[in-house]
């Protein structure tokens, strides 16, 4: 079900405060386009990540959708973590799961 951005960010804050000094990896479809860095939703999300020393690791497009006569390309499926230095790599696969890349 849909969760507002503010409620989602409150939940991240709540969880991270319960997990001090723990390695945390979040994975999911957050519907905050990581390519639109001027958007208020992105800025709020980025501020929360910085608060907890987290990094968003997905750099490729994860959803291509037709909107009217044009296509949109977004990165809304993400992995963010506070233990990025332990990651080998993050790759978006060409296979689709629903209307998203895997």
């Amino acid at each position: 079900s849909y969760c507002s951005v503010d409620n989602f960010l409150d939940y991240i804050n709540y969880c991270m405060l319960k997990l001090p000094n723990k390695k945390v990896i979040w994975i999911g479809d957050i519907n905050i386009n990581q390519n639109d860095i001027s958007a208020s939703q992105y800025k709020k999300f980025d501020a929360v990540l910085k608060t907890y020393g987290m990094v968003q690791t997905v750099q490729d497009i994860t959803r291509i959708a037709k909107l009217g006569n044009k296509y949109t390309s977004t990165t809304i499926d993400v992995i963010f973590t506070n233990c990025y230095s332990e990651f080998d790599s993050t790759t978006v696969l060409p296979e689709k799961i629903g209307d998203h890349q895997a």
Side-chain angles (χ1 to χ4, degrees):
S1 74
Y2 178 77
C3 173
S4 75
V5 170
D6 289 334
N7 285 347
F8 175 62
L9 298 178
D10 287 345
Y11 183 70
I12 292 172
N13 281 310
Y14 171 81
C15 290
M16 293 305 292
L17 291 172
K18 297 275 187 188
L19 300 167
N21 305 313
K22 301 289 184 190
K23 295 177 183 177
V24 178
I25 301 171
W26 294 75
I27 300 171
D29 172 356
I30 64 171
N31 287 327
I32 300 171
N33 185 8
Q34 301 301 290
N35 303 321
D36 189 0
I37 62 173
S38 64
S40 64
Q41 290 182 336
Y42 174 88
K43 290 177 181 179
K44 289 179 184 179
F45 176 68
D46 190 55
V48 169
L49 293 187
K50 287 178 180 169
T51 298
Y52 299 105
M54 292 190 285
V55 175
Q56 197 291 106
T57 68
V58 177
Q59 301 301 312
D60 296 323
I61 299 300
T62 63
R63 184 169 190 262
I64 299 172
K66 189 171 184 182
L67 185 62
N69 292 338
K70 66 178 187 172
Y71 285 89
T72 61
S73 299
T74 56
T75 303
I76 59 175
D77 304 283
V78 298
I79 301 170
F80 53 102
T81 183
N82 61 359
C83 55
Y84 180 69
S85 63
E86 298 180 30
F87 272 53
D88 189 35
S89 67
T90 302
T91 304
V92 176
L93 304 174
E95 291 80 15
K96 285 188 167 260
I97 298 175
D99 61 343
H100 298 249
Q101 308 305 109

